[in-house]
Amino acid sequence: MRKRKIQVPVLMNLLSSNHRYQIVLVSLLILLTLTNCSSQEEKIPEPLQKLANLTVIPADIQPKNTIQIKRDTSYGSTNDLLIDHIGTIAVDDSGRVYFTAGGPNGIHVFEPDGQHLTHIGRKGQGPGEFSSAYPAIHIFSDRLFAVDLRAYRISVFSVGSLNLIRTVSINPTNQIKALDDYYIHQIIPEKGGTFLVSFKKFLREVSDLPEGTKIDTLTRSYYPMDKEGRLIPKQVLKIQDQPVVIGSVFQNIGPVSLNFFSKPLVTVSNDGSIYAAHSKDFLIKKYSPDGECLRAFYHPYQNVSLTRETALESSNASMSRLILAMSGEGMSESMIQTMMNSRQRLIRQMDLPPNWPALNDLMVDDENRLWVSTIMNDQKISQWWVLDQNGKLMARFNWPRSKPIEVVKNGYMYTRETEEETGLQTIVKYRIEMD
């Protein structure tokens, strides 16, 4: 906000003493308001002051709503079905729950009341089958998209009939020249049946780098892809990727990702808007489907200090989750334990950043509200912020990090929860009530 000159003296000569008194009071209030806005601007980091349509969320803001979260239904193992580790999760408009769970049975389908209905596809190479035990699944409108990057294809199912509608072949050679050294990292379905494709850079010739070398110059590039799997040569988003550190495992040298480094967070809303953040700061940018930056939300979040102890604890927790995931892909526990030991050694030796990132996760619900989780001093808890499309804080609550929120839809949030004794995972649905 710019400071304006207020021409008070000219008016005061023409008015009565009572009117003069009123104008002085009003003028002082205006000046105080302008001063407050200026002082707020001084607290905004200089690079952000140039952003158009920037909404600043005050440091001392309080939510306008209270939120209550009530446990409702769980989805998982039954008398006839054993589910250990759950992959990706999707929910349709009727409340049916879909998730991958490794093994041969593809995608499991549950009724809203928790009853297991059926499964879609299976592991294999044929139509509607998956090379990976955990294909990424998404639901848009009445279509279920199963993204199988190993097989370079997307299987599209009808939510109504659960039948396979078509298969989209992803041709990895159909890439832009600028992507010669990149590989497909993620494919996100969009409104209208198109896709947003994320590319990550190959790291070649890193074996001659000393262990502990940090590489923080990587980027992710996002391009649109049409319904037939053809890339459109227009980059809509480019964002700094998570740094990697060179480490050694099984006498091989390679890049290692560590969760205390800042990472990109990208999600797509029902109306096609793209929301992107880099977890270092509480700064979220909204883009149009063709990559135009529309607005930004910033909150001066106080990042939590990083210690070697908390870094090691967090690495152990993330590797434990990897053990569950990789067991479905054929990796033995001894191999994963070797990876864990190598990672622990690396963390003990390397220079650590001073702070944790501000953000841990970013998602958008079916009402196009933003759900943002922040990292707190207590590493067992995340603080979740619910923002409307204009960046206004609707609600805020603490939630256990051991129960990550996966989907928010139809007035419910769906979490992944792990039983400590058995290691079995379930999806738990909670009703959301906001006053």
Side-chain angles (χ1 to χ4, degrees):
M1 185 179 294
R2 296 179 179 175
K3 293 185 179 179
R4 290 184 175 180
K5 294 180 180 179
I6 304 173
Q7 303 295 334
V8 177
V10 175
L11 291 174
M12 291 182 67
N13 291 333
L14 302 175
L15 299 172
S16 66
S17 60
N18 185 43
H19 286 166
R20 291 177 191 171
Y21 177 72
Q22 293 177 1
I23 287 181
V24 169
L25 286 177
V26 172
S27 301
L28 287 172
L29 289 173
I30 293 173
L31 286 170
L32 284 171
T33 302
L34 292 172
T35 303
N36 287 338
C37 290
S38 298
S39 63
Q40 284 185 352
E41 286 186 354
E42 290 173 0
K43 296 178 183 179
I44 302 173
E46 186 174 349
L48 305 187
Q49 295 178 16
K50 300 177 182 179
L51 289 175
N53 299 320
L54 175 65
T55 298
V56 179
I57 306 171
D60 58 351
I61 192 170
Q62 296 299 319
K64 66 177 184 179
N65 300 93
T66 58
I67 188 168
Q68 293 185 348
I69 300 171
K70 299 179 179 179
R71 186 183 176 102
D72 189 286
T73 311
S74 62
Y75 309 84
S77 298
T78 67
N79 293 333
D80 303 318
L81 177 68
L82 178 64
I83 293 176
D84 47 10
H85 179 76
I86 294 173
T88 54
I89 304 161
V91 180
D92 68 21
D93 291 341
S94 72
R96 276 183 179 172
V97 176
Y98 306 72
F99 58 78
T100 57
N105 290 329
I107 303 167
H108 292 277
V109 185
F110 286 80
E111 295 286 15
D113 63 2
Q115 180 181 353
H116 185 258
L117 177 63
T118 186
H119 68 267
I120 302 174
R122 57 180 291 115
K123 196 171 182 179
Q125 302 297 324
E129 297 180 340
F130 317 114
S131 297
S132 170
Y134 301 105
I137 59 174
H138 309 264
I139 287 180
F140 240 99
S141 186
D142 59 350
R143 296 289 183 265
L144 170 68
F145 299 86
V147 180
D148 188 355
L149 290 180
R150 281 191 179 180
Y152 291 107
R153 66 185 178 192
I154 304 170
S155 300
V156 184
F157 298 87
S158 166
V159 167
S161 66
L162 301 181
N163 293 327
L164 178 68
I165 298 175
R166 64 190 181 99
T167 300
V168 180
S169 296
I170 308 165
N171 185 356
T173 63
N174 179 29
Q175 296 182 1
I176 296 90
K177 182 66 176 176
L179 298 175
D180 283 348
D181 290 331
Y182 286 74
Y183 66 94
I184 297 176
H185 168 252
Q186 185 182 20
I187 298 178
I188 306 173
E190 295 183 299
K191 183 179 181 181
T194 58
F195 307 92
L196 182 67
V197 185
S198 164
F199 290 88
K200 293 188 69 169
K201 188 175 180 63
F202 280 113
L203 282 177
R204 307 181 189 277
E205 299 179 357
V206 297
S207 57
D208 57 343
L209 295 175
E211 186 171 14
T213 301
K214 180 184 174 185
I215 303 175
D216 56 4
T217 57
L218 306 176
T219 59
R220 285 190 199 177
S221 295
Y222 291 78
Y223 284 79
M225 187 171 71
D226 67 18
K227 297 179 181 180
E228 306 305 320
R230 293 185 293 263
L231 283 176
I232 299 171
K234 180 187 177 183
Q235 181 177 267
V236 297
L237 180 64
K238 186 175 183 179
I239 189 169
Q240 184 179 357
D241 204 350
Q242 187 176 33
V244 296
V245 178
I246 303 304
S248 60
V249 181
F250 303 121
Q251 298 181 342
N252 293 319
I253 299 295
V256 177
S257 297
L258 298 167
N259 60 356
F260 47 74
F261 287 138
S262 181
K263 62 185 177 182
L265 301 169
V266 178
T267 186
V268 179
S269 68
N270 290 336
D271 62 5
S273 298
I274 303 169
Y275 292 90
H278 214 273
S279 62
K280 178 181 178 182
D281 300 305
F282 198 138
L283 173 66
I284 303 168
K285 297 179 182 179
K286 178 180 179 180
Y287 296 86
S288 66
D290 61 359
E292 178 188 0
C293 188
L294 303 176
R295 65 185 311 146
F297 313 124
Y298 172 72
H299 172 70
Y301 192 79
Q302 184 64 48
N303 293 46
V304 174
S305 296
L306 174 65
T307 65
R308 204 167 299 274
E309 180 182 2
T310 56
L312 289 167
E313 289 177 357
S314 179
S315 177
N316 276 334
S318 62
M319 287 302 293
S320 297
R321 291 191 293 270
L322 180 64
I323 289 174
L324 289 172
M326 291 296 100
S327 61
E329 300 286 0
M331 182 176 285
S332 68
E333 286 196 29
S334 62
M335 295 172 67
I336 297 176
Q337 186 63 50
T338 300
M339 293 173 60
M340 181 182 292
N341 294 339
S342 299
R343 183 172 296 220
Q344 295 282 300
R345 185 187 70 251
L346 190 62
I347 294 174
R348 290 190 182 96
Q349 295 174 351
M350 65 180 292
D351 293 331
L352 300 178
N355 299 313
W356 285 94
L359 307 183
N360 186 58
D361 204 358
L362 170 68
M363 66 177 66
V364 61
D365 66 16
D366 56 333
E367 298 182 27
N368 294 325
R369 298 175 299 192
L370 285 174
W371 291 65
V372 187
S373 72
T374 60
I375 296 177
M376 304 179 66
N377 278 308
D378 186 348
Q379 292 289 305
K380 296 181 179 180
I381 296 174
S382 288
Q383 186 175 73
W384 281 86
W385 298 51
V386 185
L387 309 176
D388 69 11
Q389 296 183 62
N390 298 315
K392 292 182 180 178
L393 177 61
M394 300 182 65
R396 188 166 53 200
F397 63 98
N398 293 344
W399 190 256
R401 293 183 71 173
S402 62
K403 301 178 180 181
I405 300 172
E406 303 285 350
V407 177
V408 181
K409 192 168 186 177
N410 305 328
Y412 294 91
M413 74 180 197
Y414 297 79
T415 67
R416 178 199 311 267
E417 303 188 9
T418 305
E419 188 176 324
E420 290 188 8
E421 293 183 0
T422 63
L424 298 179
Q425 292 190 335
T426 57
I427 302 303
V428 181
K429 179 173 71 173
Y430 293 82
R431 177 181 294 277
I432 302 168
E433 296 179 358
M434 273 195 280
D435 297 333

